[in-house]
């Protein structure tokens, strides 16, 4: 037991649960087909020692080999994506089923090869459905006719990462909250990894745990900077089977620098915001901002940092590097999220400014950070990047060519369906190996729908911005194609639209030609580009 | 001025605004291209005198004729569907644009012929977007940096139906609330029709009007039977340009009697509910029920009336005839909705039992009855009928063959995305002129997506029930096809699925064959049945 670990675990009862060798925990507690939960969100704050040890055990005992009946595989629940440890487990084929989100080459490969089952869920809904008993339907819950108690048998084992434990047993979480409150409530057994490479992050968290209906109460937040919950989290000590030390750090890759196209997207959006302020549709300091992960999202936030807006507020799921610039220039008052996903550079920058900036950051459970109730009440501006949208405003965020899973819906749907401003942004065209504009982000009919036409207010690419509020489908189509499509695809999309209109006698609401709507995908599969060619092997124009 | 009218309008200032001849109001206030709002919801509680007079005026002056430049056409807003008057206006081609929902042969024809633009919107969101200024983007709103006032210029004229006006100017609404609070707040001019054929419905309503963000507060309801708002509604008297009398009744058609198939659906659902209660996933009196409109929905409620559940609660958008049976046998404690859509027989039955039953009914604005915040907090059981679902659980509620609008999404999306139990029910197959099972309700890939796979917990047809909770797409497909598809279509759907799996090397998450996924629609268009035939003109098996 290291001195720093002893210093971090200040509760006697929990300190007495220290286990030196994590392999002892594997053999004692983990069994094939269990339902297990890991803390963490967007690759931050997940346990590392236990997953690594599980992998080592599996490899050493040659489990999960093709044809073998010796299996150690799990139903794995993490708030959103786990760190690299999830990919290591996927490599060992240790995951039977996974929800609600994932990121990693190996896990994606397992899902798309059929080895691992996956279902993506709204991130704020997932922990609640777990506590509704929806994912383990053979168990019986506490009797709701007699008690408002939450079930404590929906997960076999939960492993969380924390940064400390106070004298009173209150657990001090790290840089993410995610589904940890629900996981700890719902677990039969709990293992706590104290990560001593992290600073103790006391004061950052605002933790609430809601009852199941019919006992649920309002989440009475009306301001981004409100704290109504607890700083620390408490768990029934009887459930804790071990407290161990971790000295493994999270690895967040560097962001690619903002490019010309994402800067253009940012400038279109800033002009849009300024016009909204001019008409008094929002206040001068805008409304709470939600921003997805990725290059474009980062660039939009970067653009805001240099556009003169003051007293901005962020109500989002992930705190990212770009927000630090807003803190640095004094334009951001407060940021609420469920995870601080910073690159090593960003984390160093935050640590340098910890005393001031950490007071402006609030980490909440994902049931709060992503809750439609709050997103709607606060009137958020939600900005996310889809895989593609179609001419009527349906968006695909998950399944390439209708079938191949990327990462999952994440928080995009709950923000888009509930925000005051539902915005999607992406580059209008991307390259394939043979065509610099081989893939258009605007297609006639998306091959998979995650967000519907009913949700999208604004769509923006480097080409321009389409304000879709109050528009009917045919109006939307022209606006999206003319303002946002890449010039190489504009004529093709207009032709699809006008041909469909011509064919749509008596069904003119949202004209489609189901015989032709997927042709761009077929071009891509057969000829390496979504652009239609006259002859095979013909050169691109 | 009739004696009963004088008796109903007890506020002096408003009584002085009485106008005898409604035609005077048309010439004085109505202009081409205005944005106008009518009270009403699901064909109940809309104004009738003014729409009829508008139609008369238009006909008489030969307006809106093809090629004519003499136009009187409106952007028309109603909470959901209007009564028959909307169809009369559509016949005169008086509607430029319509939102958020509509029902009627003529209005549907105009939308699908391209004469009328339509966009469907979540019903609780629509009145708020109106007050955000999203539908009239050239106006300026009150400055949110200085005031929390709502705009009063988002609609040119609003016409509402009411059943009385108290001494203090409080308006007593009738059998629907819908978007009336937001319409009255947002209107420049208001006309009130007092319908003297209806009884004065004081005490039925619970009215709240929310501020726009950043001033919005929680809707702190935690129980279906709570009343936290006002019984009456107040309007700035300066805006009221006329109070008139209406003696025209609403016409709600009779429900078709429950048939064998919908009774089977009800019995599957009741067995499901009983199992949920057994596992303590819900209390003995279930959770607040939402039920869509239609034959199946009615039958399910009918089935509940005879299944031994007690102390039921309804939190829905429309109160329908079938709920009266639940009142009659004492199994329903309270029903909250935004409209009482009763047939003449049902209305007579309610009137007979007014003193007891009216105390168990609460009418709320659609921003409350359909609010995701409350639907989620209360843990509703939402039951709706789609046009079709696909094998992975995406649902089409609006657009036949991807293009032809039926009525709109209505409340289905906000209930399905937020309810604890998101249930869809429909008959598995319907006839075409040449095939008694020519249309399957389960298809490989829905031609339009309104509700996504992420929302659906349970799907049920007369064939059986598919519990989809916690299932990945491929698991869902087998469950939906095997449990719910019509036997005539089961082999076809299984073949589509297994062929797609075979083709989906490396994209196995949600296997689709985009070349084949719409073939059933092509069969229907070309051969009058979705079932595949070997040869044209071959007899059905």
């Amino acid at each position: 037991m290291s001195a720093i670990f002893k210093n971090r675990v200040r509760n006697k009862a929990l300190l007495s649960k220290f286990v030196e060798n994590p392999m002892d925990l594997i053999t004692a507690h983990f069994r094939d087909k269990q339902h297990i939960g890991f803390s963490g969100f967007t690759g931050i704050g997940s346990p590392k020692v236990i997953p690594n040890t599980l992998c080592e055990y599996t490899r050493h005992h040659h489990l999960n080999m093709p044809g073998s009946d010796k299996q150690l595989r799990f139903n794995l629940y993490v708030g959103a994506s786990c760190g690299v440890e999830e990919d290591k487990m996927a490599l060992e084929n240790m995951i039977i089923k996974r929800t609600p989100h994932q990121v990693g080459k190996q896990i994606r490969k397992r899902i798309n090869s059929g080895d691992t089952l996956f279902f993506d869920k709204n991130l704020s809904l997932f922990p609640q459905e777990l506590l509704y008993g929806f994912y383990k339907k053979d168990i019986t819950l506490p009797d709701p006719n007699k008690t408002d108690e939450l079930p404590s048998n929906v997960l076999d084992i939960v492993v969380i990462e924390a940064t400390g434990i106070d004298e009173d047993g209150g657990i001090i979480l790290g840089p993410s909250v995610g589904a940890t409150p629900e996981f700890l409530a719902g677990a039969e057994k709990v293992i706590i990894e104290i990560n001593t490479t992290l600073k103790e992050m006391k004061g950052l968290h605002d933790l609430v745990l809601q009852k199941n209906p019919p006992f649920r109460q309002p989440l009475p937040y009306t301001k981004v900077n409100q704290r109504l919950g607890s700083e620390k989290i408490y768990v029934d000590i009887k459930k804790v089977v071990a407290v161990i030390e971790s000295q493994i750090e999270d690895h967040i890759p560097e962001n690619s620098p903002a490019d010309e196209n994402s800067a253009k997207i940012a400038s279109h959006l800033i002009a849009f915001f300024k016009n909204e302020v001019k008409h008094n549709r929002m206040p001068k300091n805008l409304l709470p901002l939600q921003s997805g992960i990725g290059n474009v999202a980062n660039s939009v936030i970067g653009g805001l940092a240099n556009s003169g807006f003051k007293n901005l507020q962020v109500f989002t799921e992930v705190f990212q590097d770009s927000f630090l610039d807003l803190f640095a220039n004094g334009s951001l008052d407060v940021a609420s999220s469920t995870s601080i996903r910073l690159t090593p550079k960003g984390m160093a920058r935050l640590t340098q400014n910890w005393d001031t900036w950490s007071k402006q950051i609030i980490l909440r459970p994902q049931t709060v950070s992503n809750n439609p109730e709050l997103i709607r009440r606060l009137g958020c501006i939600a900005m996310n990047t889809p895989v593609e949208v179609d001419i009527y405003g349906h968006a695909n965020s998950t399944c390439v060519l209708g079938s191949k899973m990327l990462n999952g819906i994440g928080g995009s749907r709950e923000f888009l369906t509930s925000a005051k401003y539902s915005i999607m942004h992406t580059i209008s065209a991307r390259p394939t190996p043979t065509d610099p504009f081989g893939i258009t982000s605007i297609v006639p009919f998306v091959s998979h729908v995650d967000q519907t036409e009913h949700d999208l207010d604004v769509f923006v690419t480097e080409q321009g911005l389409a304000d879709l509020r109050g528009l009917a489908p045919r109006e939307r189509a022209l606006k999206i194609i003319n303002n946002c499509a890449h010039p190489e695809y504009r004529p093709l999309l207009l032709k699809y639209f006008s041909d469909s209109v011509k064919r749509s006698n008596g069904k003119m609401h949202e004209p489609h030609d189901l015989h032709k709507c997927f042709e761009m995908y077929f071009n891509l599969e057969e000829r390496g580009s979504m652009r239609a060619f006259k002859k095979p092997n013909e050169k691109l124009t």
Side-chain angles (χ1 to χ4, degrees), chain A:
Chain A
M1 195 187 300
S2 75
I4 179 168
F5 177 83
K6 209 168 164 181
N7 189 266
R8 289 286 182 92
V9 183
R10 297 180 290 274
N11 176 276
K12 292 275 182 314
L14 284 169
L15 188 65
S16 76
K17 309 237 180 182
F18 175 71
V19 170
E20 182 77 46
N21 184 358
M23 193 58 84
D24 298 344
L25 295 169
I26 306 304
T27 48
H29 301 291
F30 288 86
R31 298 289 176 270
D32 189 37
K33 295 193 179 55
Q34 281 174 328
H35 292 249
I36 66 175
F38 287 169
S39 65
F41 194 98
T42 51
I44 280 284
S46 284
K48 295 155 193 95
V49 174
I50 293 292
N52 285 336
T53 313
L54 278 168
C55 289
E56 196 187 320
Y57 182 87
T58 303
R59 247 189 333 266
H60 185 259
H61 292 278
H62 305 289
L63 306 177
N64 307 333
M65 305 297 278
S68 160
D69 59 353
K70 282 161 47 189
Q71 304 281 314
L72 187 63
R73 304 186 74 216
F74 302 104
N75 297 283
L76 177 62
Y77 304 89
V78 189
S81 62
C82 198
V84 291
E85 287 69 24
E86 168 168 35
D87 243 19
K88 295 184 197 168
M89 287 177 70
L91 196 62
E92 302 300 330
N93 201 8
M94 293 177 72
I95 306 173
I96 302 169
K97 192 182 271 194
R98 178 76 170 87
T99 196
H101 196 75
Q102 42 71 41
V103 174
K105 201 174 158 186
Q106 299 303 331
I107 178 77
R108 187 191 294 175
K109 205 166 150 186
R110 288 289 182 196
I111 290 167
N112 287 306
S113 72
D115 294 327
T116 292
L117 291 164
F118 172 69
F119 63 99
D120 46 348
K121 256 292 154 196
N122 282 353
L123 297 182
S124 78
L125 194 55
F126 151 70
Q128 302 195 343
E129 290 205 341
L130 186 76
L131 290 182
Y132 293 163
F134 279 9
Y135 303 150
K136 219 177 162 186
K137 281 176 274 189
D138 52 339
I139 59 171
T140 297
L141 273 52
D143 184 352
N145 304 294
K146 296 181 184 155
T147 173
D148 66 357
E149 250 177 75
L150 290 168
S152 59
N153 55 351
V154 297
L155 289 171
D156 296 296
I157 309 181
V158 160
V159 189
I160 66 157
E161 186 183 82
T163 60
I165 301 175
D166 252 348
E167 289 79 357
D168 67 351
I171 300 166
I172 298 150
L173 297 180
S176 77
V177 180
T180 297
E182 291 79 10
F183 282 179
L184 290 178
E188 302 205 32
K189 294 179 180 181
V190 171
I191 298 171
I192 304 171
E193 296 191 4
I194 301 293
N195 193 322
T196 51
T197 71
L198 291 168
K199 68 182 285 132
E200 207 176 292
M201 296 188 175
K202 201 165 162 180
L204 214 56
H205 310 94
D206 182 58
L207 305 168
V208 297
L209 177 64
Q210 292 192 287
K211 301 281 182 194
N212 281 344
F215 307 108
R216 189 168 290 169
Q217 297 298 310
L219 282 169
Y221 296 90
T222 56
K223 292 189 165 57
V224 176
N225 63 1
Q226 261 175 320
R227 288 176 182 274
L228 302 173
S230 161
E231 277 186 4
K232 298 177 282 188
I233 196 163
Y234 297 84
V235 60
D236 179 355
I237 287 187
K238 289 194 297 294
K239 300 208 284 194
V240 179
V241 297
V243 182
I244 63 178
E245 181 170 1
S246 167
Q247 295 181 328
I248 310 170
E249 292 177 49
D250 282 315
H251 299 280
I252 299 299
E254 287 297 319
N255 296 304
S256 14
D259 62 6
E260 198 191 341
N261 280 335
S262 47
K264 280 186 191 163
I265 290 176
S267 77
H268 297 314
L269 267 173
I270 287 160
F272 172 79
F273 292 155
K274 289 191 170 165
N275 187 56
E276 290 300 293
V277 171
K278 189 178 141 203
H279 286 271
N280 287 333
R281 283 192 289 267
M282 49 175 146
K284 277 186 226 163
N285 69 334
L286 308 185
L287 287 161
L289 298 158
Q290 178 260 343
S291 176
I293 294 180
N295 207 16
V296 175
N298 243 310
S299 178
V300 167
I301 298 298
L304 278 173
N306 303 311
S307 57
F309 292 109
K310 292 286 164 204
N311 301 115
L312 293 171
Q313 305 191 317
V314 162
F315 188 83
T316 194
E317 60 193 38
V318 193
F319 185 95
Q320 293 168 86
D321 284 57
S322 51
F323 294 127
L324 296 173
D325 296 329
L326 294 174
F327 275 150
N329 78 4
S331 52
L332 178 62
D333 281 359
V334 58
S336 163
S337 70
T338 192
S339 131
I340 303 179
R341 184 181 180 274
L342 292 176
T343 61
K345 268 187 210 160
M347 193 55 97
R349 202 173 161 200
L350 174 61
T351 306
Q352 271 171 4
N353 296 278
W354 185 260
D355 288 346
T356 49
W357 292 358
S358 73
K359 291 189 182 58
Q360 294 169 274
I361 299 175
I362 306 177
L363 287 186
R364 310 181 187 281
Q366 69 194 74
T367 50
V368 179
S369 67
N370 286 42
N371 198 295
E373 172 177 343
L374 300 186
I375 296 164
R376 180 141 163 184
R377 185 181 305 146
L378 296 171
C380 290
I381 301 171
M383 299 177 283
N384 292 276
T385 300
V387 173
E388 57 191 0
V389 301
D390 70 26
I391 57 173
Y392 296 115
H394 302 269
N396 176 11
S397 293
T398 60
C399 286
V400 175
L401 294 167
S403 299
K404 186 176 179 177
M405 172 53 61
L406 292 174
N407 308 113
I409 44 172
S412 61
R413 283 183 79 241
E414 43 209 348
F415 274 98
L416 285 168
T417 53
S418 303
K420 178 170 173 188
Y421 290 90
S422 297
I423 299 170
M424 283 197 144
H425 46 41
T426 185
I427 309 298
S428 68
R430 281 167 292 148
T432 57
T434 57
D435 181 354
F437 307 111
I439 294 173
T440 168
S441 305
I442 301 169
V443 294
F445 192 124
V446 285
S447 57
H448 186 268
V449 176
D450 294 293
Q451 290 92 10
T452 73
E453 56 176 340
H454 314 296
D455 297 324
L456 194 59
D457 294 319
V458 172
F459 181 62
V460 51
T461 68
E462 81 288 353
Q463 301 293 323
L465 181 145
D467 179 354
L468 307 172
R469 293 174 296 171
L471 299 191
R474 294 197 309 281
E475 296 177 295
R476 271 183 237 139
L478 289 173
K479 191 84 95 173
I480 290 174
I481 297 171
N482 288 325
N483 293 15
C484 303
H486 192 279
E488 290 292 323
Y489 285 93
R490 217 170 281 166
L492 298 173
L493 293 165
L494 285 172
K495 184 170 183 338
Y496 174 82
F497 176 65
S498 64
D499 285 354
S500 298
V501 168
K502 277 180 214 143
R503 279 187 88 254
S504 286
N505 190 19
K507 39 181 186 169
M508 191 73 106
H509 175 67
E510 191 159 313
H512 264 307
D513 182 347
L514 299 181
H515 290 272
K516 308 234 165 160
C517 63
F518 292 148
E519 274 191 352
M520 286 188 180
Y521 299 122
F522 304 152
N523 284 338
L524 180 67
E525 287 189 307
E526 289 159 23
R527 306 170 191 215
S529 168
M530 285 190 174
R531 291 197 266 179
F533 311 139
K534 290 223 172 77
K535 287 175 289 183
N537 304 320
E538 192 187 31
K539 274 246 173 169
L540 295 177
T541 51

